[in-house]
Amino acid sequence: MKSPQSSSLLMQIFLCSVILLSHPQSALSTTTIYITANNLDTPAKLEDGLISISEQVKEDDIDAIVNLGNIRPDEHSCNVNSYALLHEIISENMSSKKTAFLSVIGEKEYAKCPQPETDVQAWQNVFAPTNSDPPFFNNMVALRDPNYAENWGLIHKQVLYVGLNMMKDKGNMNKALYKKQLRYQAKWVQKTFSDSIENGFVDAVVLMGYGYDPKLMNVFFRPFDRYMTARLKTAVPVMYLCATGGVSDTGGIESNFRGLDTFYELSVSDTVRNGDPFLKLVIEPNNLVAEDVFRVFVNEEEISMEQKNDSNEMEIST
């Protein structure tokens, strides 16, 4: 979907977010986010999940609840009306007015819609609005992708969060158009990294998307891999957080994702247990040990990091 915002205006918004959200007191702060994916796919499950999170987090200082997609209950409708009830449930069941609700588009909201390239606008207007609509973004100032407005980025406590349209199944998508979008997204993410990481605004990054399919997404990840190797090097740890399709056989955070030392991966559906509605991810951007920047918990039990070499994935042809 085309956005009317210009690049210069986007940069002003981005710099504004740095001023508002990065300040001296947050330099030593940890960030705690609760992540849901695939398991809150009906209005009743969504409400019960948010209530469960509210009970669990009474003692936590939660920065955000992140939904990684697939909460649309109606398989046949992708319009604003189909999202209205979900918007109401989320707005009424957020336990803290300080907690933001951040959303990434899923396959049910994009790939499985009748007309993904146009139906996306209804999702974006509700769950990733251009202007803050508490609890959605909750007064956080988001950088918006000028060509695909469902993609967004923001800085909070020295962590850069980037929400992306990343499908695992092509569904009803036009594959050629989607690959064109992925190529563009790779350039937009690199520009966002350049403006934030290389200028010293952030110390850790969380890329978020619904799925991971190395063959379909190679047009995104191959130039991104080259950028991380040539430009970013080991400047900051980067995590790819996805709902499904992860590289792990056992769940938890995978290190050495795609063969890169400071690239990590976490698949929520591979890690949650027994129908648990969420994971807790704790981020310590100033931790001097890179492997300890990201820590994941299920029911307050920390899941150990797995070591894995995924360099072969980088060579998959498109």
Side-chain angles (χ1 to χ4, degrees):
M1 186 189 73
K2 298 292 183 181
S3 168
Q5 294 169 295
S6 68
S7 298
S8 60
L9 178 57
L10 287 169
M11 184 51 56
Q12 292 174 24
I13 294 173
F14 187 74
L15 294 176
C16 181
S17 71
V18 173
I19 296 170
L20 290 173
L21 299 172
S22 297
H23 49 80
Q25 289 183 341
S26 48
L28 300 177
S29 297
T30 62
T31 297
T32 300
I33 62 175
Y34 278 59
I35 308 158
T36 70
N38 280 343
N39 46 2
L40 303 182
D41 57 354
T42 70
K45 289 180 181 179
L46 178 61
E47 183 171 3
D48 289 345
L50 290 174
I51 291 173
S52 176
I53 291 174
S54 297
E55 290 297 317
Q56 293 284 335
V57 304
K58 286 180 178 178
E59 304 301 321
D60 268 346
D61 182 15
I62 277 197
D63 294 88
I65 296 172
V66 175
N67 176 265
L68 295 176
N70 277 20
I71 60 174
R72 180 170 65 90
D74 185 354
E75 288 286 345
H76 305 291
S77 177
C78 291
N79 57 40
V80 171
N81 291 335
S82 67
Y83 298 129
L85 177 59
L86 304 179
H87 183 283
E88 181 180 344
I89 290 171
I90 293 166
S91 299
E92 291 181 354
N93 288 280
M94 295 287 288
S95 59
S96 171
K97 300 302 181 185
K98 298 185 297 182
T99 302
F101 192 91
L102 307 178
S103 294
V104 174
I105 197 164
E107 285 182 353
K108 285 187 178 181
E109 295 84 38
Y110 187 75
K112 294 183 178 180
C113 284
Q115 298 177 302
E117 291 79 16
T118 55
D119 290 335
V120 62
Q121 183 170 353
W123 178 91
Q124 187 256 311
N125 287 342
V126 174
F127 294 105
T130 302
N131 298 312
S132 174
D133 176 23
F136 302 92
F137 290 124
N138 206 21
N139 298 318
M140 294 179 175
V141 181
L143 168 70
R144 189 70 58 175
D145 180 336
N147 286 330
Y148 302 97
E150 70 270 23
N151 299 328
W152 52 267
L154 61 85
I155 295 174
H156 181 62
K157 293 183 178 178
Q158 292 183 273
V159 179
L160 171 63
Y161 298 88
V162 182
L164 295 170
N165 182 332
M166 302 288 272
M167 301 291 109
K168 184 175 182 290
D169 187 337
K170 69 182 183 66
N172 296 320
M173 299 186 304
N174 180 308
K175 190 173 181 179
L177 288 178
Y178 188 63
K179 286 198 169 187
K180 179 180 178 182
Q181 175 170 346
L182 289 175
R183 290 188 185 95
Y184 171 83
Q185 286 180 184
K187 294 178 181 178
W188 180 74
V189 170
Q190 290 172 45
K191 177 67 165 61
T192 303
F193 273 38
S194 176
D195 293 336
S196 56
I197 299 170
E198 295 181 34
N199 287 322
F201 293 138
V202 301
D203 294 317
V205 178
V206 180
L207 293 178
M208 300 181 288
Y210 173 75
Y212 178 65
D213 178 341
K215 186 174 182 179
L216 179 62
M217 296 179 181
N218 223 28
V219 293
F220 172 87
F221 277 108
R222 291 190 74 175
F224 185 71
D225 294 337
R226 291 192 290 268
Y227 169 79
M228 287 189 65
T229 302
R231 291 281 300 275
L232 195 59
K233 301 186 188 303
T234 59
V236 300
V238 178
M239 170 177 282
Y240 180 58
L241 175 63
C242 59
T244 186
V247 299
S248 172
D249 296 325
T250 58
I253 298 173
E254 296 288 337
S255 64
N256 203 32
F257 182 47
R258 297 185 62 85
L260 302 176
D261 290 342
T262 57
F263 203 4
Y264 302 89
E265 182 261 2
L266 174 62
S267 170
V268 176
S269 61
D270 291 333
T271 307
V272 292
R273 304 168 179 174
N274 303 319
D276 292 316
F278 57 84
L279 295 179
K280 180 169 80 171
L281 179 65
V282 177
I283 307 170
E284 298 178 350
N286 295 105
N287 198 310
L288 297 179
V289 180
E291 289 79 5
D292 293 336
V293 170
F294 303 112
R295 300 168 63 201
V296 65
F297 299 81
V298 178
N299 288 329
E300 299 305 317
E301 176 187 348
E302 184 168 5
I303 308 300
S304 61
M305 182 177 293
E306 298 288 336
Q307 301 290 326
K308 199 177 190 77
N309 188 335
D310 295 302
S311 57
N312 290 336
E313 291 184 343
M314 299 170 63
E315 302 305 322
I316 298 174
S317 60
T318 58

